[in-house]
């Protein structure tokens, strides 16, 4: 099964308009006319989504734009929240859901994340949910990695059923590897990715085989090729290394090489 690789940058709370314009221009400089065998996505802070999608269109950059969070509600009295129709209006095609920083720092529970996932599917036009899951160091050390990712996936499965995963993306990000410089070894990552695909396959083989499973946690140009060449790893969700266009491009080159 040949799945397309997805290289996704998560800028978190970094960047400004000038950075966004320059990043996209530099990316185009590298990959502009080239036939690409991978998909590129940048998840900018919400205030720059519109600027990013305008810059991508103006330069025909071929980069998708994603948000880092969304409200499950379509509209209403939810001060400070951003809805799915608003994201679509700004040119967003993807949204990260349940990133570990949202879960840890903002108290997002499995059921909040499942609600948001369901809302993505019923939005018109729909937005691709990128479901972020992963265990903490304590959970890994206690041997609970599989239980944790299974629980996180089951919360969504119960809400939307297996069909909800058609066209969705899952990012496995061990919390202990995020922003720490400690990457899961390709074997560790592959093992969990195979487990996740297996879980989905119990419900629907074709959805399991087609879904893009990203790895996230200290991905850099130096380790991207080895990670992405694992059988069940279909690209990466890149934090720190997506804040310099050179390293993001370096990771994209690793993806380009692999097909
Ligand atoms: P990192 O972050 O690449 O800086 O480890 C990944 C993420 O949080 O998505």
């Amino acid at each position: 099964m040949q799945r397309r690789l997805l290289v996704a940058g998560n800028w978190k709370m970094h960047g400004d308009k000038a950075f966004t314009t320059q990043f996209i221009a530099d990316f185009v400089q590298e990959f502009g006319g080239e036939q690409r065998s991978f998909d590129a996505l940048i998840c900018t802070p919400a205030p720059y989504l519109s600027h990013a999608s305008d810059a991508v269109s103006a330069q025909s950059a071929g980069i998708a734009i994603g948000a880092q969070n969304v409200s499950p509600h379509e509209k209403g009295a939810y001060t400070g929240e951003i809805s799915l129709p608003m994201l679509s209006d700004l040119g967003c095609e993807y949204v990260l859901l349940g990133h570990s920083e949202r879960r840890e720092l903002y108290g997002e529970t499995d059921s909040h994340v499942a609600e948001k996932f369901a809302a993505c599917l019923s939005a018109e036009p729909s937005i691709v949910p990128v479901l972020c899951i992963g265990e903490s160091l304590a959970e890994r050390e206690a041997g609970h990695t599989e239980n944790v990712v299974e629980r996180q996936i089951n919360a969504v499965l119960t809400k939307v059923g297996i069909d909800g995963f058609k066209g969705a993306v899952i990012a496995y990000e061990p919390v202990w590897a995020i922003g720490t410089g400690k990457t899961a070894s390709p074997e560790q990552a592959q093992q969990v990715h195979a487990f996740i695909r297996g879980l989905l396959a119990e419900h629907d083989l074709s959805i399991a085989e087609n879904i893009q499973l990203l790895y996230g946690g200290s991905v850099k140009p130096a380790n991207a090729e080895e990670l992405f060449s694992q059988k069940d790893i279909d690209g990466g969700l890149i934090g720190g290394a997506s804040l310099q266009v050179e390293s993001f491009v370096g990771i994209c080159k690793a993806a380009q090489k692999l097909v």
Side-chain angles (χ1 to χ4, degrees):
M1 170 84 231
Q2 186 68 62
R3 288 172 297 270
R4 219 170 142 82
L5 296 184
L6 171 63
V7 180
N10 172 13
W11 289 2
K12 308 190 180 183
M13 201 171 70
H14 295 285
D16 55 20
K17 279 209 280 193
F19 171 82
T20 305
T21 313
Q22 192 62 48
F23 185 100
I24 291 163
D26 290 346
F27 185 89
V28 168
Q29 188 83 7
E30 283 290 338
F31 283 109
E34 214 175 313
Q35 184 74 19
R36 270 182 248 157
S37 55
F38 66 92
D39 296 323
L41 162 67
I42 49 174
C43 300
T44 76
Y48 304 121
L49 289 168
S50 173
H51 184 73
S53 68
D54 290 348
V56 162
S57 309
Q59 302 190 54
S60 307
I63 306 176
I65 302 299
Q68 299 171 12
N69 184 27
V70 74
S71 165
H73 305 290
E74 197 187 329
K75 59 181 168 191
Y78 301 103
T79 301
E81 292 291 282
I82 299 174
S83 71
L84 282 153
M86 292 171 187
L87 294 185
S88 294
D89 200 24
L90 299 180
C92 264
E93 294 172 79
Y94 291 79
V95 62
L96 305 182
L97 298 182
H99 187 280
S100 67
E101 287 151 18
R102 302 286 327 160
R103 293 178 190 259
E104 258 177 57
L105 305 173
Y106 300 97
E108 286 192 16
T109 61
D110 288 343
S111 73
H112 286 136
V113 175
E115 250 186 86
K116 292 177 184 205
F117 194 107
C120 286
L121 306 182
S122 50
E124 200 41 71
S126 64
I127 290 199
V128 177
V130 180
L131 173 66
C132 303
I133 57 174
E135 81 288 2
S136 67
L137 185 58
E139 288 164 338
R140 172 161 284 262
E141 286 176 348
H144 294 157
T145 299
E146 294 187 349
N147 299 341
V148 171
V149 300
E150 184 165 6
R151 187 202 76 221
Q152 291 170 327
I153 289 182
N154 277 343
V156 177
L157 258 178
T158 309
K159 180 94 185 160
V160 302
I162 188 65
D163 285 343
F165 282 84
K166 200 184 273 176
V169 176
I170 296 177
Y172 167 61
E173 301 199 294
V175 180
W176 48 272
I178 295 180
T180 57
K182 273 192 225 158
T183 317
S185 69
E187 298 71 30
Q188 281 174 320
Q190 164 57 27
Q191 203 177 9
V192 182
H193 280 235
F195 174 75
I196 295 167
R197 209 179 290 288
L199 274 181
L200 299 174
E202 285 172 21
H203 300 269
D204 187 304
L205 207 51
S206 144
I207 290 175
E209 280 182 357
N210 284 296
I211 196 166
Q212 285 173 312
L213 300 184
L214 312 185
Y215 167 77
S218 300
V219 178
K220 330 179 226 308
N223 58 26
E225 189 177 339
E226 213 188 344
L227 284 161
F228 297 174
S229 57
Q230 301 300 308
K231 181 168 162 283
D232 290 296
I233 301 185
D234 310 313
L237 181 55
I238 326 294
S242 72
L243 292 175
Q244 268 134 17
V245 76
E246 304 75 37
S247 45
F248 188 71
V249 161
I251 294 167
C252 289
K253 284 187 174 161
Q256 176 82 333
K257 224 165 122 179
L258 280 170
V259 177

